[in-house]
């Protein structure tokens, strides 16, 4: 029996599964450290470091504020929910609000990934180009080929099952993020320790970013979204030996690693690369190149690039597994998707969902080669999918508060302190991020503000409301699997 042949969300018994039960069901067992690695890999990378390195010491503030009002609430709430209810965000929202809203939540989590993969793989393409031939970084055909080839390779790897995925994702994090990030910080400390001046001022006057009005709020809120995904791997909580005890530890370890991975490398980059010379796409490689040249170890540059690529691919593999698995589980139980999309391959993986999503990803990738001004259009689509993802967070925080009131005695392996306050803070942070998303950024150029609002609002309505409404409207009892029907749980 494969990883995907576990009981559906409402069928799983609560509490710790025995080793005998695990052996009977074939449920894969992950250590809490491995799951923390998978979670960290799905959230953190060095890819965002150059964006914040531009602000020097102020990047600490810009990362810390959203960590307090978004990352911490998300981690605490998902730890409580996952330790009491298996099945991920669908089960949480279904129990706390309603089954239709549960489907909306898991759909929004899945829909967000549509534009995540092309952006991530475009970074991979530019990093590889920096080693092979930097001119390729601006070549649309090259970028499209890399995106398509790597995405379909990821689909094939994910189709081999959770065991192969967890190993690759964890090692991708270690080799491509933890080791390069640590090396970058160590080289930076040695660089400063030898008396070299920092490219960015490191004084108390530079702790806070310069206030520029609404643009400053956009900057802070944008970092909320850097922490998206902490709850995603809760769908794998049943793969732990002791979920109530181990999943909270998983979340807190992942939270600490994410914060360190974001802040310290950004500071290291700011020490060696002046802000006016920093590339937001190749900034990490610029910093490595500068440090390696200074220490006369330039031969490490291509090795660092390969390592960064491995981390990005590990993150992609983690995202491929999580949201699509959650969508599959609830669709088999409730009949939200047609049978074709519910079919599993020989390893029990939702291959048809991945392939269908891959077709959309391929079309987006072709845009790099065929559309001259693809960057601004693509950026708008990225904003839309981010807005859609925030719907899931709003529902999750509301569900957590209601579950405390409706099911106060339900067994929980972990109870978040001051849950109501934590949920209110997280809800308001998510709502603020959604509102700020309607403010045009420089990527939109000189276009009409109302046109921008119309495009983003229309996309949010289509992906976040219309499509899930159609799925709920068109679902049929015959689309439920025999396993779901045998439970007697009516849709």
């Amino acid at each position: 029996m494969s990883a995907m042949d576990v009981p559906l969300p409402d069928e799983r018994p609560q509490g710790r599964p025995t080793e005998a039960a695990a052996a009977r069901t074939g449920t894969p067992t992950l250590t809490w450290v491995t799951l923390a690695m998978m979670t960290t890999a799905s959230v953190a990378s060095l890819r965002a470091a150059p964006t914040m390195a531009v602000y020097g010491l102020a990047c600490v503030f810009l990362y810390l504020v959203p960590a307090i009002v978004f990352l911490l609430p998300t981690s605490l709430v998902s730890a409580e929910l996952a330790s009491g209810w298996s099945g991920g965000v669908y089960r949480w929202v279904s129990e706390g609000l309603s089954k239709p809203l549960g489907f909306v939540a898991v759909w929004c989590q899945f829909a967000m990934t549509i534009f995540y993969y092309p952006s991530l793989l475009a970074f991979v393409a530019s990093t590889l180009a920096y080693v092979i031939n930097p001119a390729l970084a601006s070549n649309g055909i090259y970028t499209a080929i890399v995106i398509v080839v790597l995405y379909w390779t990821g689909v094939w790897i994910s189709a081999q099952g959770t065991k192969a995925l967890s190993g690759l994702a964890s090692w991708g994090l270690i080799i491509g993020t933890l080791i390069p990030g640590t090396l970058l910080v160590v080289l930076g400390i040695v660089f400063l320790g030898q008396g070299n001046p920092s490219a960015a001022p490191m004084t108390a006057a530079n702790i806070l970013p310069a206030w520029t009005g609404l643009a400053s709020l956009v900057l802070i809120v944008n970092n909320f979204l850097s922490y998206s995904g902490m709850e995603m791997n809760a769908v794998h909580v049943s793969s732990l030996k002791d979920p109530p005890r181990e999943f909270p530890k998983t979340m807190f370890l992942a939270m600490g690693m994410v914060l360190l991975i974001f802040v310290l490398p950004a500071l290291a980059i700011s020490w060696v690369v002046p802000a006016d010379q920093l590339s937001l796409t190749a900034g990490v490689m610029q910093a490595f190149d500068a440090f390696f040249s200074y220490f006369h170890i330039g031969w490490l540059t291509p090795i660092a690039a390969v390592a960064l690529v491995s981390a990005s691919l590990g993150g992609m593999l983690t995202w491929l597994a999580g949201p699509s698995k959650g969508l599959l589980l609830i669709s088999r139980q409730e009949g939200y998707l047609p049978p074709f999309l519910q079919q599993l391959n020989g390893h029990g993986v939702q291959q048809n969902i991945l392939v269908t999503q891959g077709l959309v990803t391929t079309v987006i990738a072709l845009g790099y080669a065929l559309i001259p001004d693809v960057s601004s259009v693509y950026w708008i689509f990225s904003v839309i999918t981010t807005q859609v993802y925030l719907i899931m967070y709003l529902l999750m925080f509301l569900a957590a508060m209601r579950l405390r009131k409706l099911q106060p005695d339900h067994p929980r392996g972990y109870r978040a302190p001051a849950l109501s306050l934590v949920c209110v803070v997280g809800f308001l942070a998510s709502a603020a991020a959604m509102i700020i998303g309607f403010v045009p950024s420089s990527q939109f150029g000189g276009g009409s503000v109302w046109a921008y609002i119309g495009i983003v609002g229309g996309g949010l309505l289509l992906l976040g409301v219309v499509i899930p409404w159609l799925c709920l409207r068109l679902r049929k009892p015959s689309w439920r699997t025999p396993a779901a029907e045998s439970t007697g749980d009516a849709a």
Side-chain angles (χ1 to χ4, degrees):
M1 189 177 290
S2 69
M4 295 302 300
D5 290 326
V6 295
L8 292 167
D10 287 340
E11 301 171 64
R12 292 192 185 108
Q14 300 299 320
R16 177 177 179 174
T18 64
E19 295 298 328
R24 288 195 303 269
T25 62
T27 302
T29 300
L30 299 175
T31 68
W32 67 272
V33 174
T34 298
L35 187 54
M37 291 289 196
M38 292 175 64
T39 303
T40 304
S42 68
V43 176
S45 75
L46 301 180
R47 183 164 56 109
T51 304
M52 288 296 104
V54 172
Y55 301 96
L57 188 59
C59 75
V60 177
F61 174 83
L62 293 173
Y63 272 127
L64 192 57
V65 170
I68 293 172
V69 300
F70 184 77
L71 174 63
L72 184 60
T74 299
S75 301
L76 292 174
V77 170
S78 59
E80 170 166 330
L81 292 174
S83 70
W85 293 268
S86 59
V89 68
Y90 170 75
R91 177 75 179 277
W92 307 341
V93 178
S94 295
E95 294 273 353
L97 301 176
S98 68
K99 285 187 175 182
L101 287 178
F103 173 74
V104 171
V106 80
W107 166 262
C108 289
Q109 187 184 55
F110 171 76
M112 180 267 182
T113 65
I114 293 173
F115 291 91
Y116 168 79
Y117 303 127
S119 64
L120 182 68
L121 295 177
F123 166 76
V124 170
S126 65
T127 301
L128 289 175
Y130 196 85
V131 177
I132 302 170
N133 180 2
L136 289 174
S138 58
N139 187 303
I141 296 177
Y142 159 79
T143 303
I145 292 174
V146 171
I147 291 174
V148 172
V149 170
L150 291 183
Y151 177 82
W152 287 106
T153 301
V155 169
W156 179 82
I157 294 174
S158 295
Q160 307 310 305
T162 305
K163 183 177 181 180
L165 168 69
S166 63
L168 285 170
S170 299
W171 280 107
L173 173 69
I174 294 171
I175 297 173
T177 298
L178 297 183
I179 293 177
T182 301
L183 179 61
L184 196 62
V185 174
V186 170
L187 291 176
I189 293 174
V190 174
F191 177 80
L192 295 181
Q194 292 184 350
N196 295 290
S198 170
M202 293 286 137
T203 64
N206 303 108
I207 293 178
L208 298 178
W211 176 255
T212 57
L214 189 58
S216 297
L217 291 178
V218 174
L219 182 64
I220 294 175
V221 170
N222 279 345
N223 275 344
F224 290 2
L225 311 178
S226 298
Y227 296 123
S228 298
M230 287 295 288
E231 82 300 330
M232 186 192 67
N233 282 293
V235 73
H236 297 304
V237 70
S238 61
S239 296
L240 295 172
K241 290 183 178 179
D242 189 356
R245 292 182 178 272
E246 293 183 338
F247 192 76
K249 294 193 292 184
T250 291
M251 297 307 294
F252 288 121
L253 175 59
M255 186 173 66
M257 289 194 296
V258 165
L259 200 53
L260 289 176
I261 289 170
F262 277 142
V263 172
L264 296 183
L267 282 176
I269 293 172
S270 73
W271 295 337
V272 71
V273 183
D276 58 353
Q277 300 176 20
L278 187 62
S279 167
L280 299 186
T281 55
V284 177
M285 291 306 301
Q286 280 182 305
F288 272 123
D289 192 45
F291 282 136
F292 291 160
S293 297
Y294 175 81
F295 290 106
H296 306 291
I297 49 176
W299 56 272
L300 283 176
T301 299
I303 297 177
V306 172
L308 292 173
V309 166
S310 71
S312 296
L313 296 180
M316 182 192 75
L317 291 173
T318 305
W319 276 98
L320 278 172
S324 58
K325 179 179 179 180
L327 185 65
L328 170 81
L329 288 174
I330 60 100
S331 294
R332 294 181 72 196
Q333 182 183 23
E334 303 292 347
Y336 292 128
L337 296 178
F340 171 77
L341 293 178
Q342 298 182 34
Q343 292 177 8
L344 308 178
N345 66 5
H347 296 282
V349 176
Q350 59 282 10
Q351 183 169 293
N352 287 356
I353 292 180
L354 295 178
V355 169
T356 302
Q357 182 175 266
L359 295 176
V360 179
T361 300
T362 301
V363 171
I364 296 172
L366 292 177
Y368 278 94
L370 302 177
I371 303 176
D373 192 26
V374 68
S375 296
S376 62
V377 176
Y378 175 76
W379 181 80
I380 291 175
F381 281 135
S382 298
V383 172
I384 292 171
T385 51
T386 299
Q387 299 284 72
V388 171
Y389 199 28
L390 286 170
I391 294 176
M392 185 276 295
Y393 283 110
L394 295 174
L395 293 173
M396 185 183 79
F397 288 123
L398 289 176
M401 286 191 291
R402 290 208 69 207
L403 283 171
R404 267 290 182 97
K405 294 180 180 180
L406 296 176
Q407 302 182 34
D409 299 324
H410 183 89
R412 294 167 172 84
Y414 171 78
R415 286 180 176 264
L419 180 74
S420 295
L421 176 61
V422 169
C423 287
V424 168
V425 171
F427 184 91
L428 293 178
S430 301
M434 180 174 286
I435 293 171
I436 293 298
F438 286 94
V439 178
S441 180
S442 58
Q443 286 90 337
F444 190 62
S448 167
V449 173
W450 290 109
Y452 173 86
I453 293 175
I455 293 172
V456 172
L460 176 61
L461 186 64
L462 176 64
L463 282 179
V465 179
V466 174
I467 293 180
W469 178 81
L470 287 174
C471 290
L472 291 169
R473 180 77 175 176
L474 300 176
R475 66 176 178 152
K476 301 177 181 178
S478 61
W479 288 359
R480 300 176 67 197
T481 64
E485 291 172 1
S486 67
T487 66
D489 182 23

